[in-house]
């Protein structure tokens, strides 16, 4: 897990001609998820919040739905249940709209 975390951090640190790419959205979500699994909840929150913002600005509903779901889980770990609930509700609406059965179950 830590090797994957390091690789994603290195990739995200590289200069890129398209900093607002779908690849960056997936990488941020992956890095945030690994931080979450590693109990680095504050770092995970910061990274996934960036992913949410980027997904919104790019109109990437699938990336946004995944990021909102993951961010809700992180807020739950931080005992910030009111925020987790709001995020989960938004994620659920998107997951259902996209027909994502697994995502709907997780949201």
């Amino acid at each position: 897990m830590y090797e994957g975390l390091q690789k994603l951090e290195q990739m995200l640190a590289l200069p890129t001609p398209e900093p607002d790419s779908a690849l960056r959205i997936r990488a941020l979500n992956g890095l945030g998820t690994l931080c979450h699994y590693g109990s680095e909840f504050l770092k995970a929150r910061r990274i996934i919040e960036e992913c949410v913002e980027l997904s919104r600005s790019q109109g990437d509903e699938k990336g946004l739905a995944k990021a909102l779901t993951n961010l809700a889980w992180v807020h739950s770990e931080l005992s910030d249940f009111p925020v987790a609930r709001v995020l989960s509700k938004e994620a659920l609406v998107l997951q259902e709209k996209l027909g994502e059965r697994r995502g709907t179950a997780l949201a």
Side-chain angles (χ1 to χ4, degrees), residues 1-66:
M1 179 172 82
Y2 293 104
E3 183 178 320
L5 194 139
Q6 289 174 331
K7 296 266 188 217
L8 284 169
E9 286 178 332
Q10 290 169 355
M11 188 200 87
L12 287 165
L14 293 172
T16 170
E18 295 182 43
D20 297 339
S21 70
L23 178 60
R24 182 167 181 82
I25 289 169
R26 288 193 308 272
L28 285 167
N29 199 33
L31 179 58
T33 299
L34 288 176
C35 289
H36 176 203
Y37 291 160
S39 299
E40 296 181 63
F41 303 123
L42 296 177
K43 184 175 180 181
R45 182 180 67 190
R46 179 181 52 80
I47 292 165
I48 300 172
E49 283 173 347
E50 182 182 344
C51 184
V52 166
E53 182 179 312
L54 185 56
S55 297
R56 283 191 202 281
S57 71
Q58 295 297 302
D60 182 347
E61 288 187 326
K62 189 171 185 174
L64 179 59
K66 288 179 180 181

Side-chain angles (χ1 to χ4, degrees), residues 91-107:
L92 179 61
V93 168
L94 279 172
Q95 298 284 13
E96 288 176 338
K97 176 183 174 183
L98 296 168
E100 296 286 339
R101 293 175 50 193
R102 183 175 185 273
T104 299
L106 293 173

